[in-house]
Amino acid sequence: SRRNFLKSSAIALGAIALEGCTKNEKITRHKTTKKISLFKLAAGSCLKKSTDAKALNLIVDKKPNVFVWLGDNIYADTTDMTLMKSKYNILKSNPNFQKLFKFCPNYAIWDDHDYGENNAGEEYTMKAQSQEIFLNFWEIPANDERRQRPGIYHSQYFGNGNQSIQLIQLDNRYFRSTRTWSSKVVAPKGSTMLGETQWAWLTKELSKPSAIKIITSGIEILSTYRNQPLAIRQTWEGWDE
């Protein structure tokens, strides 16, 4: 199944040595064409205390080349877009966030709480507005593909040729089938996490050449909830896709 394919493709994040590269060249926020001697990727999610966020200072101390936000970057949980913007503004005004955002390129996806509502999917009524706020906050350029179509899924390359790394960021909320069942652990047949358009895009991206591919998802691909049936519903384990 597609789910098992993603599980088999899961890659542990960390520092990846790139041979034959120079040390003093850096990555710009939205693209990179230069090589570096060591590529260090840091990632995190579920920032519940935007007014504090002291952990972000620890990340800067590790001097990553890029930082990947994996979702629940704020806890909006609302259909009020003014309230959502205010919660993003709290994070943006935090000195610890500003330090990380300026130190290295930041790449983000969302999960349910910054998408808009707890466990929400395609039924969330403000998803288009939420996407616009998301893209504005993360300073996504006007000509970026995410400005032209629904969903925040995206692919980014670091390095060149046989030294390249491809970061594939999935959107597991915008197209996700509405979850109306209550007694079943897995979603009904025909349900989808990504939607056909995003699956077709992912298939195309995976066919592109790169030395390493890193796939990110706002929910767990490799689940740790095997003995918790209700929790499994919030992971890829709960989807027969």
Side-chain angles (χ1 to χ4, degrees):
S1 68
R2 289 165 166 175
R3 178 192 65 191
N4 288 332
F5 166 75
L6 279 181
K7 288 171 62 179
S8 66
S9 301
I11 300 174
L13 304 180
I16 304 166
L18 301 180
E19 299 177 358
C21 303
T22 59
K23 292 184 177 181
N24 298 320
E25 296 172 330
K26 64 183 296 184
I27 296 169
T28 59
R29 176 157 293 154
H30 298 295
K31 65 179 181 179
T32 175
T33 58
K34 297 181 178 180
K35 297 179 179 180
I36 52 178
S37 58
L38 181 70
F39 182 84
K40 187 184 294 185
L41 185 151
S45 65
C46 304
L47 186 62
K48 291 186 176 181
K49 296 183 178 180
S50 297
T51 56
D52 183 0
K54 291 182 179 179
L56 301 184
N57 277 330
L58 301 177
I59 295 168
V60 173
D61 290 342
K62 298 297 183 180
K63 296 180 170 56
N65 295 105
V66 300
F67 184 76
V68 179
W69 297 77
L70 296 173
D72 290 346
N73 309 316
I74 62 167
Y75 281 69
D77 297 307
T78 184
T79 56
D80 182 342
M81 296 298 98
T82 299
L83 177 58
M84 179 177 284
K85 287 180 182 178
S86 71
K87 292 192 175 185
Y88 271 116
N89 287 337
I90 291 173
L91 177 58
K92 194 167 190 175
S93 64
N94 186 296
N96 298 322
F97 172 81
Q98 293 173 4
K99 184 177 180 181
L100 175 60
F101 197 71
K102 292 176 181 177
F103 180 80
C104 66
N106 286 228
Y107 300 93
I109 54 176
W110 57 23
D111 196 24
D112 52 346
H113 297 292
D114 42 352
Y115 174 61
E117 286 183 340
N118 186 42
N119 298 334
E122 64 177 356
E123 77 284 357
Y124 178 57
T125 58
M126 302 300 290
K127 58 186 179 182
Q129 296 87 339
S130 177
Q131 178 171 340
E132 182 178 5
I133 293 171
F134 175 95
L135 297 177
N136 290 341
F137 177 81
W138 295 107
E139 300 182 4
I140 305 303
N143 62 350
D144 188 277
E145 62 180 356
R146 288 165 288 182
R147 296 281 189 181
Q148 315 305 322
R149 45 96 169 136
I152 61 163
Y153 55 94
H154 180 65
S155 177
Q156 177 73 39
Y157 276 88
F158 309 102
N160 292 317
N162 61 3
Q163 300 294 323
S164 64
I165 298 170
Q166 184 184 17
L167 173 66
I168 298 174
Q169 300 176 281
L170 302 179
D171 184 340
N172 51 263
R173 290 295 167 182
Y174 202 102
F175 310 98
R176 177 178 176 150
S177 297
T178 303
R179 307 194 71 161
T180 57
W181 66 98
S182 59
S183 60
K184 297 179 180 179
V185 172
V186 299
K189 287 200 178 288
S191 300
T192 182
M193 179 77 75
L194 302 182
E196 289 303 318
T197 299
Q198 187 175 182
W199 272 115
W201 169 85
L202 177 57
T203 300
K204 183 178 179 180
E205 290 300 315
L206 292 174
S207 70
K208 295 179 179 179
S210 63
I212 295 173
K213 296 183 186 296
I214 300 173
I215 302 175
T216 63
S217 167
I219 65 172
E220 294 92 334
I221 294 176
L222 302 177
S223 173
T224 59
Y225 297 114
R226 292 187 178 277
N227 297 320
Q228 303 177 50
L230 294 180
I232 287 178
R233 298 179 182 184
Q234 304 308 318
T235 75
W236 280 90
E237 291 288 335
W239 294 78
D240 185 24
E241 182 175 35

